[in-house]
Amino acid sequence: MMHATSSHGGTQAAAAGTHQSTEGKGMAVRDRVGLLDIIRGYVKRGAPRTSTTLRGVIDLARADRDKIDSIGRRVQRMAHRHPERPAVRDARRGLSYFALNQLANRWAHWLREQGVGPGDGVALLMENRVELLAAVTATIKIGAIAGLLNHNQRGEVLGHSLGLIAPRVILVGGECHEAFDSVRDDAAAKSAVLAWLADGDDAPVPEGQTDLDVASAMLSAADPAEVDRIKAGQPAFYIFTSGTTGMPKAAVMSHTRWLRAMAGIGLASLRMRPSDVFYCPLPLYHNNALTLAWGAALGAGAELYIARKFSASGFWEELRAADATVFCYIGELCRYLLLQPERNTDRDHRVRAAIGNGLRPELWEAFQNRFGIPHINEFYGASEGNLAFTNTFNVPGSCGFCPLPYAVVDFDASEEMPVRDKRGWMRKVKRGQVGLLIAEVSDKAPYDGYTDASASEKKLFRDVFVEGDCWFNTGDLVRDIGMRHIQFIDRVGDTFRWKGENVATTEVERAIDMRDEVDESVVYGVEVPGADGRAGMAGLLLHEGAAFDGKVLADHLCEQLPAYAVPVFVRLLSRVETTGTFKHRKVDLKKAGFNPARSDGDPIYVLKDREQGYTPITDGDIQAISSGTLRL
């Protein structure tokens, strides 16, 4: 048996976590007793909705890939048992579970008439609205796979995603005609049946497309027979990666994984009830929305309210109008809400819980206190992954608890590979240390992967602790904080090495974001001629009207961070490029580096002297850095 080995010791992997912000240090030293006290206190208070929690745990334990069960079957069951309950709503219309099931059934019969069958792809290009959820339900009811396209994409990127779905049918919302026109001539589009759905207006049906509402109006609303033949292990969706480091990949989401999320997070962790209203401001092409939000609502027979788009200024007004009790978030969404002017209505809502991922520890308390949210249910998971953590016990700063087999292993950031010992085995880090999170692949925790088999295999480690075992590489660095809880630290590709130490970009961003004049920060590593590793560079979006003081910022960062983690360069951004789910696009920033000629006019500063602070970079500075006469 042969393995890649590393000459770096195990202490290197923990470097990203040994010099943390005050929040990070608190979590790092939290011992097992401390977490146990939190859990005991939670139980002692009489954990609310315990019957719902128990039901979720039972459903989670019963999940079986070979069992006849599916998301469509769950929609049908709710429609037959509680037809009058509201199922889904947006600003324009709402559907009961009976009406949702009837509409989905008619569309499912139309799809079948177009030759769509089990395993076929159906591409859905629509913005958030009730009809998109009905189209997803229709597709999966006949065993087909719903490909949720990112409606923000255009041209080559959208065409690439469309090709991965290989659709028999493409359903386009009237609001996305421009996006579809950019790929109309692609082979995947030309070979598919084209359907169209109006967006609540009288826009004409485009040439070559079929009005789905009209074509299906007279079709049967009976439940398709295929529902009773679909096994839980079959694919349900294609969820696309954000494409921040290359072309998007299509992660396969099975019914099993969706149903487990419904049970483990929606019922056991969030303890949803029929009286709840789940407000979803995230795009349905993202798993936080399609799986967590919809799964939580459907599992309890509650209502899902779908916002068309996220609006920081209009968020609470729409949430109150929806009478929501739960909402989902991405960490950046919470920061955008905190940046809004404080209002005396900030706590005027019925929200009892928020669920999401990426809420930074330094924002956690401020967000929870300002908006009066009792339970922050941070979770950890990935569209292509095979496990999830959920903050059931409301532990501040934690991604939560996971009952499935996982390990946090020693990691070499310079090689971007886990460390193997002389025998070829990986080794786990100690509690409080940072390492790579990996998850065991087994019958109980299967790996569905991507549509691309080679891309799927690249995410797996084999022969990790014993010969023949298989583990999924999450690509994330986390801290093991004990009691099977973790704290997220950084993405592997974002952590870089400088002056022989590992620098976690999220830790640097946390320190920068403490400054009132900074609205948003993006930290990344850039190549420096003749230097080992990458120098830290911070892109800053300043608050409107705020001035940049290089001395003040340098003093602050030198106080908050170890010397090697203080960014060498600063770029004042005119805007921050993000994906539809608020992930930063760092590729172009890394390519531009610290050269003002490639910064689109953004000012660039360099830290040559910590006493002087950040000063504007000059041509002489660049020459000195390139020649090695200026050592950073």
Side-chain angles (χ1 to χ4, degrees):
M1 178 175 59
M2 297 183 65
H3 296 290
T5 59
S6 172
S7 60
H8 296 283
T11 57
Q12 299 279 359
T18 54
H19 299 278
Q20 305 297 339
S21 63
T22 303
E23 262 314 309
K25 288 179 180 177
M27 292 306 297
V29 299
R30 184 192 298 277
D31 59 18
R32 192 176 300 270
V33 175
L35 272 176
L36 189 57
D37 286 344
I38 289 175
I39 294 170
R40 282 174 176 164
Y42 179 83
V43 175
K44 187 177 180 179
R45 292 194 301 271
R49 308 181 178 213
T50 51
S51 61
T52 306
T53 301
L54 181 60
R55 178 185 157 201
V57 171
I58 292 172
D59 283 356
L60 188 62
R62 286 177 174 173
D64 184 348
R65 289 174 62 84
D66 295 322
K67 182 181 179 181
I68 297 295
D69 200 2
S70 65
I71 304 163
R73 190 180 181 91
R74 297 302 179 103
V75 173
Q76 278 184 198
R77 184 184 302 172
M78 198 59 65
H80 296 164
R81 292 179 179 178
H82 305 286
E84 77 293 344
R85 286 185 186 172
V88 59
R89 181 165 45 115
D90 60 25
R92 197 177 76 246
R93 69 184 295 196
L95 296 175
S96 67
Y97 276 99
F98 176 80
L100 172 63
N101 192 54
Q102 293 263 297
L103 180 60
N105 287 346
R106 286 196 296 271
W107 288 358
H109 290 301
W110 182 84
L111 287 172
R112 187 200 290 146
E113 287 185 352
Q114 312 313 307
V116 177
D120 288 334
V122 174
L124 305 177
L125 182 60
M126 299 171 64
E127 293 184 357
N128 273 18
R129 50 184 171 116
V130 165
E131 293 85 356
L132 178 54
L133 204 63
V136 169
T137 306
T139 301
I140 59 181
K141 272 197 162 206
I142 57 174
I145 307 169
L148 279 295
L149 291 167
N150 182 340
H151 52 74
N152 297 301
Q153 295 176 348
R154 298 290 187 276
E156 183 183 6
V157 178
L158 181 59
H160 171 81
S161 298
L162 195 62
L164 292 178
I165 298 172
R168 294 292 294 268
V169 169
I170 302 173
L171 176 57
V172 181
E175 70 279 16
C176 293
H177 66 90
E178 179 190 352
F180 180 70
D181 283 346
S182 72
V183 295
R184 181 182 294 275
D185 294 330
D186 284 31
K190 286 184 174 181
S191 63
V193 175
L194 304 180
W196 181 84
L197 271 176
D199 186 23
D201 54 26
D202 296 326
V205 181
E207 184 179 353
Q209 298 184 35
T210 299
D211 187 328
L212 179 57
D213 269 335
V214 173
S216 63
M218 303 305 294
L219 296 181
S220 170
D223 295 326
E226 289 92 334
V227 175
D228 294 326
R229 297 193 291 269
I230 298 172
K231 292 185 177 181
Q234 291 178 215
F237 316 127
Y238 292 138
I239 299 292
F240 289 88
T241 61
S242 58
T244 54
T245 58
M247 284 294 188
K249 295 188 288 291
V252 180
M253 191 75 181
S254 67
H255 293 271
T256 303
R257 290 182 59 210
W258 193 97
L259 293 169
R260 281 177 172 164
M262 178 189 75
I265 295 180
L267 296 178
S269 189
L270 277 178
R271 298 172 291 281
M272 295 283 292
R273 285 185 175 176
S275 56
D276 280 315
V277 177
F278 198 122
Y279 176 75
C280 177
L282 300 174
L284 284 170
Y285 61 69
H286 192 272
N287 245 339
N288 279 27
L290 189 65
T291 296
L292 294 181
W294 187 29
L298 177 57
E303 182 181 24
L304 177 68
Y305 185 99
I306 306 172
R308 190 62 171 254
K309 293 180 180 179
F310 167 70
S311 166
S313 60
F315 178 89
W316 292 107
E317 182 179 351
E318 185 174 30
L319 181 144
R320 282 190 287 270
D323 200 25
T325 56
V326 181
F327 70 86
C328 58
Y329 66 83
I330 294 288
E332 290 301 286
L333 180 152
C334 300
R335 192 175 58 76
Y336 294 152
L337 294 177
L338 278 171
L339 288 173
Q340 291 294 301
E342 291 193 30
R343 300 181 177 90
N344 57 13
T345 57
D346 280 347
R347 285 170 165 254
D348 183 15
H349 56 72
R350 289 205 309 133
V351 172
R352 63 173 182 82
I355 184 168
N357 60 343
L359 178 56
R360 296 182 178 184
E362 73 274 10
L363 300 181
W364 192 297
E365 185 177 0
F367 185 76
Q368 191 164 29
N369 290 342
R370 173 176 166 181
F371 298 111
I373 301 170
H375 184 189
I376 301 291
N377 199 141
E378 180 84 359
F379 78 94
Y380 171 87
S383 297
E384 71 277 25
N386 65 333
L387 88 171
F389 289 75
T390 180
N391 195 12
T392 302
F393 302 111
N394 209 6
V395 180
S398 170
C399 296
F401 166 88
C402 178
L404 295 171
Y406 71 89
V408 183
V409 298
D410 203 352
F411 184 76
D412 181 355
S414 63
E415 298 293 332
E416 293 195 353
M417 288 291 291
V419 175
R420 302 260 191 178
D421 63 22
K422 292 180 180 179
R423 296 178 300 169
W425 309 121
M426 294 184 194
R427 53 179 177 245
K428 300 177 183 179
V429 302
K430 295 179 180 179
R431 190 170 74 249
Q433 291 185 331
V434 172
L436 178 70
L437 177 65
I438 61 175
E440 186 174 21
V441 178
S442 65
D443 290 339
K444 286 294 182 182
Y447 169 58
D448 295 320
Y450 304 107
T451 54
D452 184 336
S454 61
S456 297
E457 182 61 29
K458 289 178 181 178
K459 295 290 289 183
L460 298 177
F461 291 128
R462 301 186 184 277
D463 302 326
V464 172
F465 299 116
V466 296
E467 191 167 357
D469 65 355
C470 181
W471 294 71
F472 170 71
N473 174 18
T474 66
D476 290 322
L477 299 178
V478 303
R479 180 183 290 111
D480 181 352
I481 60 175
M483 292 295 292
R484 301 193 65 78
H485 281 65
I486 62 168
Q487 182 186 36
F488 177 80
I489 298 298
D490 216 349
R491 288 290 298 168
V492 163
D494 288 339
T495 295
F496 58 90
R497 195 168 180 80
W498 180 243
K499 296 188 181 298
E501 301 285 354
N502 299 335
V503 181
T505 59
T506 52
E507 297 294 337
V508 182
E509 288 169 356
R510 286 170 190 167
I512 294 173
D513 291 343
M514 293 168 67
R515 300 295 310 169
D516 291 338
E517 70 271 18
V518 178
D519 271 357
E520 196 162 355
S521 65
V522 189
V523 175
Y524 47 97
V526 295
E527 293 182 348
V528 174
D532 182 24
R534 293 174 181 265
M537 187 163 186
L540 308 183
L541 184 65
L542 298 182
H543 190 67
E544 186 176 355
F548 176 70
D549 189 320
K551 177 68 167 64
V552 170
L553 180 63
D555 289 346
H556 168 74
L557 295 180
C558 289
E559 179 182 339
Q560 294 292 322
L561 298 168
Y564 63 82
V566 175
V568 176
F569 305 101
V570 165
R571 174 174 172 175
L572 300 185
L573 301 170
S574 55
R575 66 184 186 281
V576 176
E577 295 288 342
T578 62
T579 68
T581 50
F582 312 116
K583 293 181 181 178
H584 291 132
R585 296 187 184 276
K586 298 184 180 182
V587 176
D588 291 340
L589 293 175
K590 290 178 180 179
K591 287 180 180 178
F594 54 88
N595 187 347
R598 303 179 64 184
S599 68
D600 296 327
D602 293 343
I604 292 180
Y605 295 77
V606 61
L607 188 61
K608 297 184 292 184
D609 184 330
R610 300 202 172 197
E611 293 300 318
Q612 293 183 17
Y614 293 99
T615 56
I617 197 167
T618 65
D619 290 340
D621 292 334
I622 294 175
Q623 291 175 3
I625 293 170
S626 299
S627 65
T629 56
L630 175 57
R631 300 183 64 84
L632 302 172

